[in-house]
Amino acid sequence: MNPAHAQAGGRGWIPSAFRRLLLGVLIAGAVFMFGGGDAFAQELDRVQVEGNQRIEDETVRSYMSLRQGDVITEAKIDRSLKALFATGLFSDVTIRRAGNDLVVNVVENPIINRLAFEGNNRIDDDALSAEVQLRPRQVYSRARIQSDVQRIIDIYRRAGRFSVSVEPKVVQLPQNRVDLIFEVEEGPVTGIRKITFIGNRHFSDRKLRSEIATKEDRFYRLFTSADKYDPDRLGVDRELLRRLYLKNGFIDFRVVSAVAELSTDRKDFFVTITVDEGERFRVGETDVRSAIRDLEESRLMELVVLKTGKIYNAEDVAETIQDIAFEAGRLGFAFVDIRPDLSINRDTRIIDVTFVVNEAQRIFVERINITGNSRTLDKVIRREFRLVEGDAFNAALLQRSRQRIRALGFFETVEMTQDPGSQPDKTVINVNVREQSTGELSFGAGFSSDQGVLADIGIRERNLLGRGQDLRASITLSGRTQEIDLSFTEPFFLDRNLAAGFDLFRKSADLQRESSFESRSIGFSLRAGFPITEFLRQSVNYTLRSDTIGNIDPSASRFVRGQEGTSVTSAIGYILTLDTRNDRISPTEGFIVRLEQTLAGLGGNKHFLRSRLAYAAFFPLAENWTVSLRFVDGFIVGLGEDISISDRFFVGGNDFRGFRSGGIGPRDTASGDALGGNLFYVGTAELTFPVGLPSEIGLLGRVFSQAGSLARVDESGPGLSDVGSVRVTAGFGVSWSSPFGPIQVDWATAIKKEDFDETQAIFLSFGTRF
C-alpha cells in the first residue's frame, strides 16, 4: 500500500466516525431538551400511595391521570397532582419517581366532627346551618370555610348588620378529626340615617320617601326591617319611583343612580337617589281600532279610562288594556293583542293614545295547573273554579274564580297566568298560590262601664287537614258573662256543593245590672248551605235550646219576675245572603244583604217567628279611604203567646257604640231594668281613612255616626217606658295592625237619647293570630 494513500485514508476515516458520533449525541440531547424525552421514557409499573389513613389506595389512584402501563411524562404527573388537590380531600400532595414506580404521598384533610356557632344572638343556629356548605362528617376544606364565612356575613348584611365579623376556629381532635367553630361578632344594626333625592322638582323628598320601600331609621319601625339597608330593596325602589312618575305624566323619567354610603363608624347608611324627571305630558286624543268583528269600537271606547286634557297616567293605560281584554275574554277571546299606540308631541307635551285590538281566535281551556299548595288539597282549589277543562275560555269567569279562591282565606297570594296550549285554539291556565297560616289563636279584651274587663279566647282552624274544613272553639269570659262555643263546617258535604255543619253552645250571663236576673242557655244547631247563583246563597238550620232565667233580684221589675223558669225552643230557620263584596275580610267595594228568619214551635214550649235583615255597602273614595253604610233591623212576633225576655232583642255595646249593652229600649223606670224589645233597627255611616303617619305603621282612623231604636214589648202598665224614639251617636276611633294583632279603640257619645238610656264611651279590643 502506498504510504501516502494510507496516511490520506486514515486522516479521512477518523474524522468521519467522530463526526457521526458527535452528531448523534447532539440530536439526542436536543430531543431530550425540547420535549422529545419520550424517546427514552419508561412505562409505569406501579403507583404506591403513602400517608393515607381513611382513603383507600385505589381511590387515590382513580383521581390520577396515570395508569399502570402508561408512559411516564412530567405533563401527566403535573395533571395528576392538580387532580388530587382539586378533590379537596388532601391538604398536601407530592409525587416522586422511584425507577418505573410513582410514589404518591398525601396528607389528608381532617373530618369535621362538630360544627358550631358562637356569638350569634340575633340569628339562630338553624338559620346559619341552612346556609353554610360544610356539615359534620364532611371533609374539612379551607376553601369551603372561606366560602361559608362569606355566606354568614351575607346573611347578617341582609339583616342590616354590616359591621359583622366572622372568625372560624379549628379545634384539633384525635384520629384526624376537628371541631369547626364560627365565632360571630354581630355588631350593631346598620340603619339608614338619611335618604336624599337629587333632581326632583315636582315631588318633595318627603313624598318620594313615602313611596319607596326603603325607610329612614325611626323608633316606630321597631318591628320592621324597612329601615335597614338592603341592596335588593333599593332595586325595588327604582321601580316604585318609576311607577309614581309614569302615573303622573313623566314618561321620560329615569333613576340616574342610587348610591348607599356607609358612615365611617359603620353604624349607618346614607342613601342618595338621583333622578331625571323629564317633562310632564297630558292626554290628547284617544281612540280604539278593533280588528275583532264582535268588538265594536264604539263599545270599547266606553272602556277607555284616559280623558283628554288630563295628566297622562300609565296605570290608566294598563287599566284600559285590562278592561278591553276582559270584554274580549267575556266573548271567548283569550289572547287578544292590545297595543297602545302613543303619538308623542314633545313641543306641546301632548300624547295621543290609540288602542289597537288585533284579531284573535276563540280559545278553550286545555288544562288547569295548580302549584304552591303544599298543604291544601288540589280539589279544594279546583271546586272554586268557574271554569273546567274543555270549557270555552271566559275572562270574567276566570277573574271570579280568582276572587273565590282568595275568599277562602287560605292563601296569601293567588296568581293566575295563561300559556298557549298544545294547539292554537287551546290555553293552559296556571294557578300559583302562596299558602298562609289558617290557624287562629285570638285574644280579645275590652272595657265598658257595664261589663268591666272582659276577655275572649278562641282557637280556629279554617283549613283542617288541608280539606277546607272549618273547626272553631271559643270561650268568652267576663265578670258577668261566660260562653263556650264549638262549631264544625264541611264546605263540600258528600263532595257536593253543600256546606254542612253543627254548633254546640253554652252561655251564662249575669244581667243583674241591666235586668236584675241571670240567664243560662245550652243547646245545639245543625245547618246546611248551598249556592243559588254565583253571589246568592241560602242556608237552612235547626236549633234545639234550653233557656233558664233565675236568681231574680227581689227588687226586680214585675215584668222580669214573671219570666222566671226554664223553657225549651225547637226552631227551624233559613238565611238568604247576597254578597258582591270584593273582599270578605277588608272590603272596599260591593255590598252584602242578609235575611234571616226563624220559626219556633216544632216541639218545645216556645212559639214565635223572628226576622232579621242586615245590609252593608262599601264605596272606595281614594286609596285607603272607604265609606261604609250599614243597616240592620229585626222583628219578632209571638204565635199565640207573648215573647219572653230571653228571645227579645237587646241593643247597645259594639252594636250601637255610645250605649252600653242593653242600654236603650223599653225599661222599667222604677227598677231601671232593661226589658229588651220586639223591634229594633240601627243604621251606621262610617269613613275609614289614613291618619297621615307612614303607611307601614298600619294605623287607620275612622269617624262614624249611628242612629237606631229598640221598642215594643208585650207587657204594659205603669212604670214601663217604651217610647221607640230614635237615638243618635257619633264618634271616632283608630285601628292599628300591630305586630301583636289588630287593635281597635273607639270613642263615642250619645247625641240624642232618652233619660233612662245608659251610655258607654270607650270600647277597646285586640287580638292576634298564629
Side-chain angles (χ1 to χ4, degrees):
M1 179 178 295
N2 190 324
H5 287 176
Q7 184 178 3
R11 286 196 306 267
W13 175 82
I14 294 174
S16 177
F18 179 77
R19 283 196 302 270
R20 285 195 296 272
L21 177 62
L22 181 60
L23 181 61
V25 172
L26 291 174
I27 292 174
V31 171
F32 183 81
M33 292 179 63
F34 293 102
D38 287 349
F40 299 95
Q42 298 172 333
E43 292 184 353
L44 177 62
D45 286 344
R46 285 188 311 163
V47 176
Q48 301 179 32
V49 181
E50 298 178 351
N52 53 319
Q53 301 177 24
R54 303 183 311 274
I55 303 171
E56 297 293 335
D57 292 358
E58 281 304 318
T59 302
V60 176
R61 296 187 184 103
S62 67
Y63 290 116
M64 298 179 62
S65 301
L66 283 162
R67 299 290 185 271
Q68 186 176 1
D70 289 351
V71 175
I72 303 174
T73 66
E74 293 297 327
K76 291 182 178 180
I77 292 175
D78 184 61
R79 286 198 298 270
S80 297
L81 189 67
K82 290 178 179 178
L84 289 170
F85 271 113
T87 63
L89 300 174
F90 312 105
S91 60
D92 192 20
V93 181
T94 60
I95 301 177
R96 60 184 175 84
R97 294 180 60 170
N100 291 345
D101 296 344
L102 286 181
V103 179
V104 181
N105 188 281
V106 298
V107 178
E108 294 176 346
N109 275 324
I111 291 294
I112 298 175
N113 175 65
R114 182 174 66 95
L115 183 66
F117 303 92
E118 294 181 357
N120 53 313
N121 299 318
R122 300 295 179 180
I123 301 178
D124 58 32
D125 289 2
D126 292 339
L128 295 179
S129 297
E131 288 292 330
V132 298
Q133 293 181 330
L134 289 171
R135 296 285 186 273
R137 294 181 297 279
Q138 286 187 351
V139 176
Y140 169 89
S141 168
R142 290 185 180 181
R144 288 185 178 180
I145 285 182
Q146 294 307 314
S147 175
D148 285 345
V149 166
Q150 187 58 47
R151 287 172 178 267
I152 296 172
I153 291 175
D154 290 342
I155 293 172
Y156 273 95
R157 286 184 173 177
R158 289 199 298 269
R161 297 178 182 271
F162 279 78
S163 58
V164 63
S165 63
V166 181
E167 183 70 24
K169 299 291 185 181
V170 178
V171 179
Q172 298 291 339
L173 299 175
Q175 300 177 349
N176 200 24
R177 296 175 301 126
V178 296
D179 284 344
L180 178 58
I181 303 172
F182 290 100
E183 294 184 352
V184 181
E185 186 177 342
E186 297 178 322
V189 174
T190 312
I192 298 175
R193 188 183 303 177
K194 185 69 175 177
I195 301 176
T196 304
F197 293 90
I198 298 175
N200 52 312
R201 303 186 310 275
H202 289 84
F203 294 109
S204 65
D205 284 14
R206 180 178 180 181
K207 171 63 177 176
L208 296 183
R209 279 194 290 264
S210 69
E211 292 291 327
I212 62 177
T214 302
K215 303 297 181 182
E216 292 180 347
D217 190 9
R218 295 292 185 269
F219 73 92
Y220 52 78
R221 296 192 174 105
L222 179 64
F223 299 101
T224 179
S225 62
D227 56 348
K228 311 302 183 292
Y229 173 67
D230 185 343
D232 294 333
R233 187 184 294 123
L234 204 58
V236 173
D237 292 339
R238 288 173 173 263
E239 177 62 20
L240 294 175
L241 289 173
R242 189 186 70 87
R243 291 182 183 179
L244 170 67
Y245 275 91
L246 287 179
K247 187 170 65 175
N248 288 275
F250 297 92
I251 64 173
D252 298 323
F253 170 82
R254 65 190 183 95
V255 177
V256 178
S257 65
V259 179
E261 296 179 316
L262 190 60
S263 61
T264 55
D265 58 5
R266 302 181 66 84
K267 292 183 178 180
D268 296 287
F269 273 98
F270 293 86
V271 176
T272 303
I273 301 176
T274 304
V275 301
D276 180 5
E277 293 182 330
E279 298 294 336
R280 173 179 276 187
F281 288 76
R282 293 182 177 272
V283 178
E285 298 296 327
T286 60
D287 194 12
V288 176
R289 293 203 306 267
S290 174
I292 301 177
R293 183 177 58 184
D294 295 336
L295 292 179
E296 299 178 359
E297 295 175 354
S298 58
R299 182 179 182 180
L300 298 181
M301 275 298 297
E302 299 175 0
L303 303 175
V304 177
V305 181
L306 295 166
K307 302 300 179 183
T308 301
K310 297 294 185 181
I311 298 297
Y312 175 83
N313 186 340
E315 291 185 358
D316 289 344
V317 175
E319 182 180 347
T320 300
I321 293 175
Q322 181 179 359
D323 291 344
I324 294 176
F326 181 82
E327 180 67 13
R330 192 178 65 82
L331 298 174
F333 298 95
F335 293 98
V336 290
D337 183 17
I338 305 172
R339 297 184 181 181
D341 184 8
L342 306 182
S343 177
I344 303 173
N345 189 326
R346 298 192 178 277
D347 294 333
T348 60
R349 295 196 291 277
I350 294 295
I351 302 178
D352 296 332
V353 184
T354 301
F355 294 93
V356 181
V357 185
N358 293 320
E359 189 174 1
Q361 62 179 347
R362 290 183 181 273
I363 304 295
F364 296 87
V365 178
E366 179 179 12
R367 191 171 65 255
I368 299 176
N369 298 326
I370 300 174
T371 58
N373 55 319
S374 58
R375 179 167 176 260
T376 306
L377 301 180
D378 269 19
K379 71 175 184 178
V380 174
I381 301 174
R382 290 185 183 275
R383 65 195 184 195
E384 300 299 330
F385 259 89
R386 304 296 91 182
L387 291 167
V388 297
E389 284 89 346
D391 285 354
F393 178 83
N394 188 307
L397 295 181
L398 183 64
Q399 184 181 28
R400 178 57 183 160
S401 300
R402 181 177 180 273
Q403 290 177 344
R404 289 175 61 90
I405 295 172
R406 287 189 71 249
L408 291 173
F410 303 162
F411 309 108
E412 182 179 346
T413 59
V414 179
E415 298 178 354
M416 291 188 178
T417 58
Q418 296 167 237
D419 289 334
S422 58
Q423 298 180 14
D425 64 341
K426 293 184 178 180
T427 183
V428 175
I429 299 175
N430 300 307
V431 183
N432 182 263
V433 298
R434 179 184 297 175
E435 292 184 315
Q436 64 181 5
S437 173
T438 55
E440 299 177 11
L441 176 62
S442 62
F443 300 89
F447 176 82
S448 67
S449 57
D450 60 328
Q451 289 283 342
V453 177
L454 57 90
D456 65 82
I457 303 173
I459 185 169
R460 181 183 185 187
E461 174 52 63
R462 295 178 288 112
N463 188 15
L464 187 65
L465 302 176
R467 300 177 179 273
Q469 299 167 335
D470 191 341
L471 178 64
R472 176 171 51 187
S474 65
I475 300 175
T476 301
L477 302 172
S478 74
R480 303 191 304 131
T481 303
Q482 298 84 41
E483 184 174 0
I484 301 175
D485 293 283
L486 175 66
S487 67
F488 174 80
T489 303
E490 167 55 65
F492 272 72
F493 185 62
L494 300 177
D495 287 329
R496 299 180 179 272
N497 197 358
L498 176 69
F502 66 84
D503 301 279
L504 304 175
F505 56 87
R506 184 184 187 280
K507 180 178 180 180
S508 299
D510 181 357
L511 302 176
Q512 294 287 350
R513 191 188 264 178
E514 297 98 334
S515 305
S516 301
F517 71 90
E518 295 179 3
S519 69
R520 184 179 73 252
S521 298
I522 184 170
F524 72 90
S525 64
L526 303 175
R527 48 189 164 74
F530 53 90
I532 299 176
T533 66
E534 183 64 28
F535 301 101
L536 183 62
R537 186 175 185 85
Q538 181 169 355
S539 65
V540 295
N541 58 77
Y542 170 77
T543 301
L544 181 63
R545 186 183 75 238
S546 173
D547 300 313
T548 301
I549 296 176
N551 196 20
I552 299 178
D553 190 277
S555 61
S557 166
R558 61 185 177 88
F559 303 110
V560 175
R561 290 196 299 270
Q563 302 286 334
E564 187 173 12
T566 298
S567 59
V568 177
T569 301
S570 176
I572 60 171
Y574 73 90
I575 302 175
L576 195 62
T577 304
L578 178 62
D579 189 354
T580 66
R581 294 173 297 172
N582 63 338
D583 193 296
R584 294 183 183 180
I585 301 174
S586 300
T588 57
E589 60 181 330
F591 66 88
I592 179 172
V593 182
R594 184 182 177 101
L595 173 63
E596 304 177 32
Q597 284 195 307
T598 301
L599 176 64
L602 304 177
N605 54 10
K606 294 284 190 71
H607 303 81
F608 61 78
L609 175 65
R610 177 192 289 116
S611 301
R612 189 174 186 272
L613 176 67
Y615 170 81
F618 304 88
F619 308 92
L621 297 182
E623 187 176 359
N624 293 327
W625 288 73
T626 304
V627 171
S628 62
L629 301 176
R630 297 180 176 89
F631 180 79
V632 57
D633 73 338
F635 181 74
I636 184 171
V637 58
L639 303 178
E641 62 184 44
D642 292 342
I643 299 299
S644 69
I645 195 170
S646 61
D647 295 316
R648 295 173 189 161
F649 300 106
F650 285 81
V651 176
N654 200 39
D655 298 328
F656 200 167
R657 287 163 290 183
F659 295 100
R660 78 179 189 181
S661 179
I664 69 170
R667 190 177 300 274
D668 187 333
T669 54
S671 64
D673 291 336
L675 304 178
N678 296 349
L679 170 66
F680 86 97
Y681 64 89
V682 177
T684 305
E686 183 171 292
L687 171 65
T688 303
F689 56 89
V691 297
L693 295 176
S695 58
E696 69 266 21
I697 296 179
L699 196 65
L700 294 176
R702 60 177 173 271
V703 293
F704 57 86
S705 181
Q706 294 186 278
S709 183
L710 174 67
R712 296 188 187 178
V713 291
D714 296 321
E715 294 90 345
S716 61
L720 176 63
S721 297
D722 185 8
V723 295
S725 62
V726 177
R727 278 78 159 178
V728 180
T729 66
F732 61 93
V734 292
S735 300
W736 179 32
S737 298
S738 75
F740 313 105
I743 297 177
Q744 296 184 350
V745 182
D746 286 314
W747 295 265
T749 183
I751 299 175
K752 185 178 180 181
K753 66 183 185 68
E754 297 296 330
D755 293 337
F756 52 82
D757 291 337
E758 298 185 357
T759 60
Q760 173 183 325
I762 302 175
F763 183 81
L764 166 69
S765 67
F766 64 89
T768 189
R769 170 182 293 183
F770 71 88

